[in-house]
């Protein structure tokens, strides 16, 4: 039996034995981790899937509707498309007109995304009993 095996916690070890094997520093660290939720941090739940253990924080979803994010992204794609227009000849010569089409596709899909997020936001505001802040 090696020295590290002597300190390994095994099934059937009592609380005193576990405390002796863990040491006061490890126990203090676990106590601090257990008190973290008092300071506004979410509680951590361990979820076992197969042979792996995942740590999951129980938090509320953010109250974000996505309209602002989609608008900013769409504006960026639009500015990029306009910025590429003066270089259309160079892009054609180099076989890179797909840059302009990508920017135009991003702008067009962004417009669709803005409308989708706007409708979603309005539908969420219409649901009774939901506390949503006005955007």
């Amino acid at each position: 039996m090696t020295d590290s095996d002597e300190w390994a916690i095994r099934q059937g070890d009592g609380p005193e034995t576990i405390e002796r094997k863990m040491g006061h520093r490890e126990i203090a660290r676990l106590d601090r981790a257990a008190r973290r939720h008092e300071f506004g941090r979410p509680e951590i739940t361990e979820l076992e899937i197969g042979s792996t253990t995942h740590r999951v924080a129980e938090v509320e979803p953010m109250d974000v509707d996505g309209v602002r994010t989609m608008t900013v992204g769409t504006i960026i794609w639009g500015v990029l498309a306009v910025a590429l227009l003066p270089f259309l000849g160079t892009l054609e010569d180099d076989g890179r007109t797909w840059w302009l089409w990508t920017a135009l596709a991003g702008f067009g899909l962004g417009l669709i995304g803005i409308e989708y997020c706007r409708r979603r936001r309005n539908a969420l505001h219409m649901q009774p009993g939901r506390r949503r802040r006005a955007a």
Side-chain angles (χ1 to χ4, degrees):
M1 181 188 289
T2 64
D3 189 39
S4 62
D5 289 340
E6 180 182 335
W7 294 102
I9 296 173
R10 294 182 180 82
Q11 189 169 355
D13 284 348
E16 296 84 18
T17 307
I18 292 173
E19 189 171 329
R20 180 179 54 82
K21 288 181 177 182
M22 286 177 58
H24 70 281
R25 287 192 176 129
E26 182 66 14
I27 292 171
R29 185 189 70 77
L30 291 174
D31 287 341
R32 282 192 308 274
R35 285 194 310 263
R36 280 193 185 141
H37 72 280
E38 297 171 7
F39 302 115
R41 294 188 177 121
E43 289 194 34
I44 304 292
T45 304
E46 288 190 354
L47 177 67
E48 290 188 31
I49 300 175
S51 62
T52 58
T53 302
H54 301 277
R55 296 176 62 184
V56 180
E58 295 178 12
V59 295
E60 292 291 320
M62 291 178 55
D63 196 15
V64 178
D65 53 34
V67 175
R68 183 181 309 154
T69 305
M70 289 301 300
T71 303
V72 169
T74 304
I75 289 171
I76 290 171
W77 281 116
V79 167
L80 185 62
V82 171
L84 286 173
L85 282 176
F87 303 102
L88 185 59
T90 307
L91 292 174
E92 285 177 350
D93 293 343
D94 294 339
R96 296 202 171 124
T97 54
W98 64 269
W99 287 10
L100 177 63
W101 291 112
T102 301
L104 289 173
F107 180 73
L109 290 172
L111 291 175
I112 294 169
I114 290 171
E115 183 61 22
Y116 174 82
C117 289
R118 221 176 46 72
R119 287 184 183 192
R120 180 179 170 272
R121 178 191 60 197
N122 294 340
L124 289 174
H125 282 296
M126 298 302 288
Q127 288 182 357
R130 287 184 63 107
R131 285 186 13 220
R132 307 282 295 185
R133 100 188 124 107

